[in-house]
Amino acid sequence: MNNLQNDNQSVFVLVPSYNENEVLRDVVSMLVEKKYSVVVIDDGSTIRQSLYLKNLPVHYIRHKLNLGQGAALQTGTNFALSKGATYIVHFDADGQHSAKDVATLLHPLEDDTIDIVFGSRFLVPTLSGYIPIQKKILLFFGRYINYIFSGLLLSDAHNGLRAMTSKASTKIILTENRMAHASEILFLVKKNRLRFTEVSVSISYTDYSKSKGQPVWNSIRIFFDLILHKLFE
Amino acid sequence: MTGIQIILISGILVAAFVFFIRRRNNIADLLVFTTLVGTAITFILFPEWTNIIAHKLGVGRGADLVFYLCILLFVFVSLKLYARLRRLEQMITDVIRKEAIAEADKLENE
């Protein structure tokens, strides 16, 4: 048990938070319980997110301005690497992921045959539960657009839950500050020939995460960010 | 001189005035700008000259030629500005990131 705890401490879970407020505390407590090192990146929220994290043993970093989730994850990665992380996990702050899934995600990395693991809600159909129809259509297109841009066909285009080794994370340097970072990760996986796999994770669409989630038109913006990214590479 | 010529020429002269009084330009910029202003004023005074060039390039009217060139210029300028915007965003990101991490380290070491 003691051994497991030490192991978990070198797993750095990055939780970018932009105005998640109360929900953030639940998400973080769930991760702290599993003894992971949690890094909350407050991406310039209106209310300092540290107010919601009182007495929780977490690392807290605050961006002075709102830069976007991609930028927050990169800041978290730099920080985690400086603290000697062995594994880095991306975890959304809106409560749609489950802390149990982190262990599943880490498992393929442990024998050093895989560099990065993507969470997917579609590998086991029963797990995905109810997914709103527009969301389904968007994810369907997102999947193929990512494929066209990156050459990698994943079953779940924009799942926020991923884990990678520290070595892989030094190669995945995100320059897309906003949501296009999810696709940028795929470009970098391809470019650096990282070994990847997908594992099944659960997603819960609470009313909260639905209201916070990406509005549909946002995907159009992601699409243009991608085109411009390719143009200005 | 027609009304539109007066409007266009005074517009260009105002732009030139603003450009010159800023005095932060190097010689190359100054030369390019002076040439541009010169060409613009020439073609405003003698619009039929654009027709001659347009015909040589296979475009019907001088005004159309100017329009096409403006589209090209617009695309070029947009791309340049966008590239600069991206560089700027990257710089801001780097600054905010460094500061955020330094701040976090400071808090934890206290």
Side-chain angles (χ1 to χ4, degrees), chain B residues 71-97:
Chain B
I71 293 176
L72 268 185
L73 191 73
F74 173 74
V75 171
F76 175 75
V77 171
S78 313
L79 288 178
K80 282 290 268 193
L81 279 180
Y82 185 75
R84 177 170 292 186
L85 215 65
R86 274 184 81 98
R87 275 207 305 279
L88 209 65
E89 192 179 288
Q90 197 54 54
M91 274 157 60
I92 293 172
T93 304
D94 288 345
V95 170
I96 292 180
R97 177 168 294 147

Side-chain angles (χ1 to χ4, degrees), chain B residues 11 14-15 17 21 30 34 39 59 76 85 97 101 104 106-107:
Chain B
V14 169
F17 180 69
I21 55 166
L30 228 60
T34 316
T39 336
V59 180
F76 175 75
L85 215 65
R97 177 168 294 147
I101 291 177
K106 209 176 85 193
L107 267 176

